């Protein structure tokens, strides 16, 4: 019998044998503790794919640590703190260590039961380093942070200049969906006995979209590198009804629960670039997402503080629209398709998240916290640190522009250009009044009209707001906007 000296608490988003508190773990003296909390496992709150993914990944991880010789406690308890207390009672009040948690709330919960923290090295940027950068900025322009990351991490650099002479290829990476294009097959993940056990507990049908082990996550990475990396850039903003994932990597769930580390994904991508297997335009586009956006969002979560999630700068009070929880409650083809994707597999890529779902919440004046709660419970890769800035700041502008200087509001013209949905829709993206006017187009103008006094003060918005003066049908538009909002509330639009 080994003599336990420490308990290492592993949160469900720190499932990695080489990082966090496992970095210096010793099977001779450390007990590995995972707690499945009843609150998290309450089936009604979360999308079942998400719950399945979280639980099955954690149970697989626990089994893998056992196979490595660790004594593992996988406890079910009312909440995390109760589970830790149970383990302390069992092992005689040993010190409990964990990596710094990924949210303010979990930090407080773990501190309250005496957990000591080691560095959270699941990201490429230490929190202090990011805070130093953010503290010195007037506006938090992601591009500036990204360039610093390229230099600091020495990625795609030629001395102090960017390889290829350009920092970003965004301009070339905004193509609409291609015609007659064959998207590569997606990887199907096979279910094992442990997966089936979790699925049965949840009363959920097996699906093959998401891996639940590190081996599966690595296969997904290889599949992306072999089939999608080269084409990633040009169509990264496109949305098509031929294919739900296009060239996106589908790696966010594993990056966020610890099965993959950003450093290994970055290294693998750069290796392909160095071997000439993927063009700069795609490699830069992907690296920007990982070392730029992902790190920036995490850094900003901590920098902006705990109260940021409650902001509601536009005083948006509308209740969550019924179409978010039931795709049959809308005739809008783009929204129906995005919500159906979420219903089917708890995922849709960044443009439907931002320019369809969040845009709709923004221009309908939906309460930011209700929208945040919906997204946080329904997406496979959701986590507090990533959802809060992406939604409160980028998605619905509830922070009055602290993160992004202007709201991402758009009418049907943008969606018509970047997606293939408008052709089959009951509405016409070009129309802003009339029974078949596109709700996005009507509400985009109505949103500007409702907030024109505050937006006039924002020089990046003034051109858009001035556009209102050119509308000869503003009175009719206001009437139509009310009809659309009522129709959305009742699930009839
Ligand atoms: C309103 C909104 C909500 C979002 N919520 C989440 C979320 O809960 N979890 C999440 O991981 N991402 C979120 N994102 C970012 C992005 O949509 C997803 O990371 C991406 O769609 C995941 O699919 P992928 O792995 O195929 O991404 P790819 O397109 O292949 O991109 C590669 C990686 O870049 C990272 N990345 C890119 N953009 C962001 C970003 N804005 N924030 C953080 N990471 C980013 C992700 O790790 C992603 O895996 C959100 C974006 C928006 C606009
Ligand atoms: S017409 Fe409007 S509602 Fe219909 S798909 Fe296009 S943008 Fe969406």
């Amino acid at each position: 019998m080994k003599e336990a000296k420490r308990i290492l608490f592993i949160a469900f988003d720190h499932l990695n044998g080489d990082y966090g508190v496992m970095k210096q773990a010793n099977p001779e003296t450390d007990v590995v503790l995972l707690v499945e909390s009843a609150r998290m496992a309450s089936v009604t709150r979360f999308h079942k794919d998400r719950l399945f993914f979280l639980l099955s990944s954690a149970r697989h991880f626990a089994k893998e640590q056992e196979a490595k010789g660790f004594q593992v406690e996988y406890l079910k308890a009312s909440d995390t703190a109760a589970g830790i207390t149970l383990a302390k009672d069992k092992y005689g009040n040993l010190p409990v260590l964990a990596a710094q948690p990924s949210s303010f709330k979990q930090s407080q919960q773990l501190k309250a039961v005496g957990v000591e923290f080691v560095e959270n090295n699941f990201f490429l940027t230490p929190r202090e380093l990011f805070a130093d950068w953010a503290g010195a900025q007037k506006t938090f322009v992601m591009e500036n942070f990204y360039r610093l990351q390229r230099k600091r991490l020495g990625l795609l650099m030629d001395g102090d200049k960017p390889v290829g002479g350009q920092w970003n290829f965004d301009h070339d990476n905004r193509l609409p969906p291609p015609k007659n294009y064959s998207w590569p097959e997606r990887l199907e993940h096979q279910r094992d006995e442990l997966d089936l056990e979790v699925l049965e507990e949840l009363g959920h049908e097996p699906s093959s979209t998401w891996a639940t082990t590190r081996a599966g996550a690595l296969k997904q990475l290889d599949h992306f590198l072999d089939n999608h990396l080269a084409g990633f850039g040009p169509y990264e903003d496109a949305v098509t009804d031929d294919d739900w994932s296009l060239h996106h990597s589908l790696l966010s769930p594993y990056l966020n629960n610890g099965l993959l580390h950003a450093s290994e994904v970055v290294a693998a991508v750069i290796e392909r670039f160095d071997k000439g297997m993927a063009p700069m335009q795609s490699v830069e586009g992907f690296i920007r997402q990982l070392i730029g956006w992902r790190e920036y969002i995490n850094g900003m979560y901590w920098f902006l503080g705990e109260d940021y999630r409650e902001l509601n700068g536009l005083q948006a009070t509308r209740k969550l629209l019924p179409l978010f929880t039931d795709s049959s409650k809308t005739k809008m083809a783009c929204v129906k398709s995005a919500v159906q994707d979420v219903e089917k597999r708890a995922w849709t890529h960044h443009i439907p998240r931002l320019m369809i779902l969040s845009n709709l919440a923004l221009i309908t004046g939906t309460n930011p916290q209700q929208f945040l709660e919906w997204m946080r419970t329904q997406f496979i890769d959701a986590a507090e640190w990533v959802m809060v800035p992406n939604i409160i700041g980028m998605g619905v502008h509830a922070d009055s522009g602290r993160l992004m200087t202007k709201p991402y509001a758009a009418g049907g013209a943008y969606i018509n250009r970047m997606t293939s949905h408008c052709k089959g829709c009951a509405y016409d993206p070009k129309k802003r009044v009339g029974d078949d006017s596109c709700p996005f187009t009507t509400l985009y103008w109505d949103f500007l009209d409702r907030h024109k006094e505050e937006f006039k003060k924002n020089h990046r918005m003034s051109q858009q707001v001035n556009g209102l003066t050119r509308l000869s049908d503003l009175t009719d538009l206001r009437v139509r906007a009310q009809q659309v909002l009522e129709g959305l509330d009742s699930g009839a639009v």
Side-chain angles (χ1 to χ4, degrees):
M1 176 78 181
K2 295 175 191 175
E3 194 198 342
K5 293 199 176 140
R6 307 189 301 179
I7 299 172
L8 306 183
F9 171 73
I10 311 293
F12 279 26
D13 54 2
H14 291 170
L15 304 181
N16 196 303
D18 298 321
Y19 287 90
V21 76
M22 291 301 289
K23 194 175 160 196
Q24 279 148 12
N26 179 351
E28 297 308 314
T29 52
D30 295 334
V31 176
V32 171
L33 168 67
L34 290 99
V35 179
E36 199 172 291
S37 87
R39 199 182 138 270
M40 189 188 79
S42 71
V43 181
T44 50
R45 267 166 51 82
F46 289 108
H47 193 297
K48 282 195 181 170
D49 270 8
R50 169 167 160 74
L51 202 52
F52 161 68
F53 168 70
L54 292 176
L55 299 184
S56 194
S57 299
R59 292 188 199 178
H60 278 96
F61 179 81
K63 233 179 151 180
E64 282 163 18
Q65 302 320 302
E66 224 160 42
K68 284 190 196 163
F70 282 100
Q71 188 167 346
V72 175
E73 286 290 336
Y74 188 99
L75 298 180
K76 293 188 180 184
S78 55
D79 59 28
T80 305
I84 293 174
T85 308
L86 277 175
K88 277 176 146 187
D89 289 348
K90 176 166 175 185
Y91 288 93
N93 213 17
L94 292 179
V96 183
L97 274 73
Q100 286 165 322
S102 329
S103 72
F104 289 107
K105 197 167 166 194
Q106 197 172 46
S107 301
Q108 284 151 11
Q109 284 168 344
L110 297 192
K111 263 189 215 153
V113 284
V115 175
E116 296 163 38
F117 297 142
V118 303
E119 193 199 354
N120 178 326
N121 54 3
F122 287 90
F123 290 86
L124 303 170
T125 319
R127 287 179 196 169
E128 304 70 45
L129 196 147
F130 188 90
D132 285 349
W133 173 80
Q137 308 302 304
K138 278 204 184 106
T139 51
F140 308 109
V141 178
M142 200 294 287
E143 181 68 24
N144 296 339
F145 170 70
Y146 166 65
R147 291 184 188 186
L148 203 73
Q149 290 283 80
R150 289 267 295 271
K151 290 185 201 158
R152 184 175 76 81
L153 301 168
L155 292 170
L156 302 174
M157 294 301 295
D158 187 0
D160 60 356
K161 300 256 165 14
V163 170
Q166 238 173 282
W167 285 105
N168 90 54
F169 290 77
D170 268 3
H171 187 69
D172 305 323
N173 284 350
R174 290 196 184 122
L175 293 188
K179 295 205 171 81
N180 306 320
Y181 189 83
S182 337
W183 300 99
E185 293 277 293
R186 260 178 298 275
L187 183 63
E188 304 272 315
H189 295 279
Q190 301 310 314
R191 306 282 63 128
D192 65 10
E193 240 176 72
L194 199 46
D195 286 330
L196 295 178
E197 189 184 294
V198 178
L199 284 164
E200 199 181 320
E201 271 176 41
L202 298 175
H204 192 37
E205 288 294 309
S207 86
S208 54
T209 312
W210 306 110
T212 51
T213 59
R214 174 155 167 82
L218 286 169
K219 268 194 201 160
Q220 183 69 41
L221 172 59
D222 282 344
H223 184 81
F224 167 66
L225 297 169
D226 292 344
N227 297 282
H228 295 284
L229 174 63
F232 179 85
Y235 301 119
E236 66 175 302
D237 283 359
V239 180
T240 168
D241 39 21
D242 313 340
D243 194 278
W244 58 265
S245 59
L246 298 93
H247 285 307
H248 290 279
S249 67
L250 303 180
L251 292 177
S252 54
Y254 320 117
L255 286 160
N256 293 357
N257 82 346
L259 291 179
L260 290 180
H261 195 273
S263 60
E264 64 191 326
V265 177
V266 168
V269 169
I270 297 291
E271 190 189 332
R272 297 289 169 125
F273 177 64
D274 289 344
K275 287 184 178 159
M277 294 163 82
M280 182 62 177
Q281 168 184 10
S282 288
V283 169
E284 188 284 316
F286 188 77
I287 290 290
R288 153 186 303 273
Q289 305 304 315
L290 264 191
I291 70 165
W293 278 112
R294 185 169 192 272
E295 298 287 316
Y296 169 86
I297 288 290
N298 181 55
M300 288 308 294
Y301 171 77
W302 293 99
F303 183 76
L304 293 165
E306 197 175 353
D307 299 337
Y308 181 83
R309 86 183 308 286
E310 302 307 330
L311 295 178
N312 187 358
L314 294 173
Q315 275 93 48
T317 52
R318 185 169 300 281
K319 276 198 194 142
L320 189 75
L321 302 175
L323 56 79
F324 286 114
T325 47
D326 179 353
S327 60
S328 72
K329 297 276 164 62
T330 184
K331 295 194 289 243
M332 298 164 77
C334 56
V335 176
K336 190 186 268 301
S337 166
V339 176
Q340 278 174 342
D341 279 350
V342 178
E343 287 170 346
K344 276 187 211 144
R345 52 186 86 82
W347 185 93
T348 168
H349 78 71
H350 71 127
I351 294 298
R353 292 188 205 204
L354 184 64
M355 300 311 294
I356 298 179
L357 301 171
S358 302
N359 185 17
L360 185 66
L362 170 71
I363 63 182
T364 51
T366 297
N367 177 266
Q369 285 68 37
Q370 288 191 21
F371 181 63
L372 172 65
E373 182 62 10
W374 173 70
M375 279 200 117
R376 224 174 53 78
T377 53
Q378 299 309 309
F379 278 77
I380 193 88
D381 52 12
E384 188 75 2
W385 66 266
V386 61
M387 277 287 175
V388 169
N390 269 314
I391 290 173
I392 299 296
M394 187 154 29
V396 298
H397 202 72
D399 65 348
S400 311
R402 285 193 73 192
L403 196 68
M404 301 289 140
T405 44
K406 63 182 240 186
Y408 277 92
Y414 174 88
I415 299 174
N416 191 24
R417 188 167 62 250
M418 293 309 293
T419 82
S420 53
H421 292 308
C422 297
K423 262 181 261 129
C425 184
Y427 301 106
D428 181 342
K430 293 193 194 73
K431 290 195 181 162
R432 53 180 177 259
V433 290
D435 289 348
D436 63 345
S437 58
C438 166
F440 275 107
T441 308
T442 309
L443 292 176
Y444 165 75
W445 289 111
D446 187 59
F447 169 73
L448 292 181
D449 186 37
R450 271 181 274 139
H451 296 288
K452 58 180 177 286
E453 294 311 322
E454 62 229 78
F455 291 157
K456 265 186 204 159
K457 296 178 212 144
N458 177 345
H459 74 279
R460 293 202 63 210
M461 288 298 288
S462 49
Q463 207 183 343
Q464 273 166 279
V465 175
N466 283 341
L468 281 168
T469 57
R470 290 196 301 273
L471 301 188
S472 52
D473 50 6
L474 193 54
T475 311
D476 294 345
L477 182 133
R478 287 177 183 143
V479 174
R480 174 64 184 155
Q482 281 317 303
Q483 288 168 353
V484 170
L485 288 169
E486 281 161 26
L488 286 168
D489 282 339
S490 66
V493 160

